[in-house]
C-alpha cells in the first residue's frame, strides 16, 4: 500500500491534461473520449450489470493464478464482495466503454474476465465486435457467463483456461534459434490485460501477442502501478521498439503501435 501511495504522489506531480499535449492523435483522444462528460444510455446498462452482481450473495471458490488478491485472505468469496472490491470501478467501466466506442474495436481480447464488469463495457462499446474473454477460475467464469447471457451480450466468447494454455492451443511456438515467440492467430484491434499482475506474466503476454498487432491496435494494461515489478514491466513495454505512443493514467497503461507517430510517453489525469 505504501508503494502505491508513493507512486500516486509521483503520478500527480508529473501528470498533465489535454492542454499540455501537442500530439493531435492524443489530444483528440483526450478531448473526444477521455474527457467526454456527456451522459450515455449505456451507462445505465453498466450500472444494472454491476448492481445485479452486488446483490448476489452466492459464495464461490476462487482460484488465483496470478499475483493474488491484496483484499481477500480466503479463496472462498462472495460474488457481491468481489464486485465491490476487485472489479473495474464504475468510472473506469465507463471510460473503457468510451475507448472501445471511440476506436470502434471489432476484434477484442480480454485477459482476465473476473465477473465480466469490464467485458460488459467492451461489449457495449461496439455491439458488433467479436470478443474473446479468458478466465482461469471456472467458478468465476461461470458467474460471468451467466451475467453476460442475462444482459444479451451474445457476441462474447467466454473461455475457461490458463492463459498460457490458451496461447499454446493457438499455435504458440518458441523458435529455439531466435528465442522469439510466434503466435499464428487473428489480429486484435483491442486487448485488455487484466489477468496476472506479475512482471514475468505481463511481459510474456506482451511478447506473445505482438504478432497480432496492426497499426491501429490499442492495448490496455491494468494496474501498472500495482507493485514495483509491475512498474518495471511497464517501463520495459514503453521502451519496446514497436511501441510508439503510451499513456499512463495511473490505473491503466495504454499502448499504441502507430508507425506514423513519434515515440512519446504521456502521463495523463483522467
Amino acid at each position: 500500500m505504501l508503494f502505491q501511495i508513493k507512486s500516486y504522489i509521483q503520478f500527480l506531480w508529473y501528470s498533465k491534461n489535454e492542454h499540455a499535449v501537442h500530439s493531435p492523435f492524443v489530444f483528440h483522444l483526450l478531448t473526444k473520449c477521455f474527457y467526454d462528460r456527456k451522459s450515455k444510455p449505456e451507462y445505465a446498462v453498466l450500472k444494472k450489470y454491476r448492481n445485479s452482481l452486488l446483490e448476489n450473495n452466492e459464495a464461490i471458490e476462487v482460484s488465483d493464478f496470478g499475483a493474488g488478491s491484496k483484499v481477500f485472505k480466503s479463496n472462498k468469496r462472495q460474488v457481491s464482495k468481489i464486485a465491490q472490491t476487485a472489479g473495474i470501478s464504475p468510472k473506469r467501466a465507463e471510460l473503457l466503454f468510451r475507448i472501445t466506442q471511440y476506436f470502434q474495436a471489432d476484434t477484442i481480447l480480454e485477459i482476465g474476465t473476473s465477473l465480466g464488469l469490464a467485458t460488459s463495457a467492451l461489449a457495449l462499446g461496439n455491439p458488433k465486435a467479436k470478443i474473446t474473454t479468458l478466465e482461469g477460475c471456472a467458478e468465476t467464469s461461470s458467474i460471468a457467463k451467466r451475467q453476460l447471457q442475462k444482459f444479451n451480450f451474445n457476441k462474447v466468447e467466454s473461455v475457461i483456461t490458463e492463459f498460457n494454455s490458451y496461447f499454446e492451443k493457438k499455435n504458440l511456438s518458441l523458435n529455439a534459434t531466435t528465442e522469439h515467440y510466434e503466435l499464428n492467430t487473428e489480429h486484435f484491434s483491442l486487448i485488455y490485460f487484466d489477468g496476472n499482475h506479475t512482471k514475468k506474466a505481463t511481459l510474456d503476454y506482451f511478447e506473445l501477442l505482438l504478432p497480432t498487432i496492426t497499426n491501429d491496435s490499442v492495448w490496455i494494461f491494468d494496474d501498472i502501478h500495482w507493485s514495483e515489478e509491475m512498474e518495471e514491466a511497464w517501463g520495459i513495454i514503453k521502451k519496446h521498439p514497436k511501441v510508439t505512443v503510451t499513456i499512463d493514467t495511473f490505473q491503466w497503461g495504454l499502448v499504441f503501435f502507430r508507425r506514423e507517430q513519434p515515440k512519446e510517453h504521456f502521463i495523463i489525469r483522467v
Side-chain angles (χ1 to χ4, degrees), residues 15 22 30 33 36 74 105 140 167 193 201 206 226 244-245 256 263:
S15 59
H22 302 293
L30 297 184
C33 176
D36 180 359
S74 167
T140 308
F167 296 136
F193 296 80
F206 174 80
W226 194 78
T244 52
V245 175
F256 301 92
K263 195 171 185 72

Side-chain angles (χ1 to χ4, degrees), residues 79-102:
V79 171
S80 58
K81 297 297 183 185
I82 299 172
Q84 185 179 353
T85 60
I88 190 173
S89 70
K91 182 180 177 182
R92 288 281 161 177
E94 291 175 1
L95 177 56
L96 186 59
F97 157 76
R98 295 198 302 274
I99 290 171
T100 308
Q101 187 180 64
Y102 181 84

Side-chain angles (χ1 to χ4, degrees), residues 16 107 117 145 152 173 224 247 255:
K16 310 291 182 185
T107 50
L117 286 162
K145 191 170 184 179
N152 297 314
S173 62
I224 57 171
I247 300 175
V255 177

Side-chain angles (χ1 to χ4, degrees), residues 66-81:
S69 172
K70 290 186 177 180
V71 177
F72 296 103
K73 304 303 179 186
S74 167
N75 284 346
K76 195 77 171 179
R77 304 167 191 172
Q78 275 189 333
V79 171
S80 58
K81 297 297 183 185

Side-chain angles (χ1 to χ4, degrees), residues 17 29-30 32-33 40 52 59 64 70 79 120 125 127 132 137 162 182 190 194 208-210 213 219 225 232 250 260:
N17 58 24
L29 175 60
L30 297 184
K32 305 296 184 184
C33 176
K40 318 281 184 188
S52 177
D64 280 324
K70 290 186 177 180
V79 171
S120 62
T132 303
C137 175
E162 289 189 40
E182 297 171 358
L190 189 152
D194 185 25
L208 284 170
L209 290 162
L210 271 178
I213 63 171
W219 287 13
H225 296 283
E232 290 171 359
F250 189 75
E260 66 274 24

Side-chain angles (χ1 to χ4, degrees), residues 4-154:
Q4 288 180 324
I5 292 170
K6 288 180 179 178
S7 292
Y8 189 61
I9 291 170
Q10 256 192 330
F11 170 82
L12 291 176
W13 180 261
Y14 290 107
S15 59
K16 310 291 182 185
N17 58 24
E18 77 275 22
H19 300 299
V21 171
H22 302 293
S23 162
F25 169 73
V26 176
F27 180 83
H28 283 287
L29 175 60
L30 297 184
T31 55
K32 305 296 184 184
C33 176
F34 277 37
Y35 298 150
D36 180 359
R37 307 303 183 198
K38 296 174 187 172
S39 181
K40 318 281 184 188
E42 291 85 357
Y43 293 170
V45 181
L46 292 175
K47 187 175 182 179
K48 285 180 183 177
Y49 189 103
R50 180 179 300 276
N51 286 342
S52 177
L53 290 168
L54 291 173
E55 293 164 3
N56 186 341
N57 293 319
E58 181 181 347
I60 62 174
E61 189 75 25
V62 175
S63 303
D64 280 324
F65 294 96
S69 172
K70 290 186 177 180
V71 177
F72 296 103
K73 304 303 179 186
S74 167
N75 284 346
K76 195 77 171 179
R77 304 167 191 172
Q78 275 189 333
V79 171
S80 58
K81 297 297 183 185
I82 299 172
Q84 185 179 353
T85 60
I88 190 173
S89 70
K91 182 180 177 182
R92 288 281 161 177
E94 291 175 1
L95 177 56
L96 186 59
F97 157 76
R98 295 198 302 274
I99 290 171
T100 308
Q101 187 180 64
Y102 181 84
F103 288 107
Q104 279 300 289
D106 55 3
T107 50
I108 299 172
L109 175 65
E110 180 184 31
I111 303 176
T113 315
S114 187
L115 298 175
L117 286 162
T119 322
S120 62
L122 294 166
L124 284 168
N126 185 359
K128 296 180 180 179
K130 176 188 175 185
I131 301 173
T132 303
T133 182
L134 312 181
E135 176 56 51
C137 175
E139 292 197 34
T140 308
S141 180
S142 177
I143 297 292
K145 191 170 184 179
R146 191 193 316 162
Q147 278 287 114
L148 292 165
Q149 289 172 346
K150 178 180 175 181
F151 282 81
N152 297 314
F153 296 129
N154 300 317

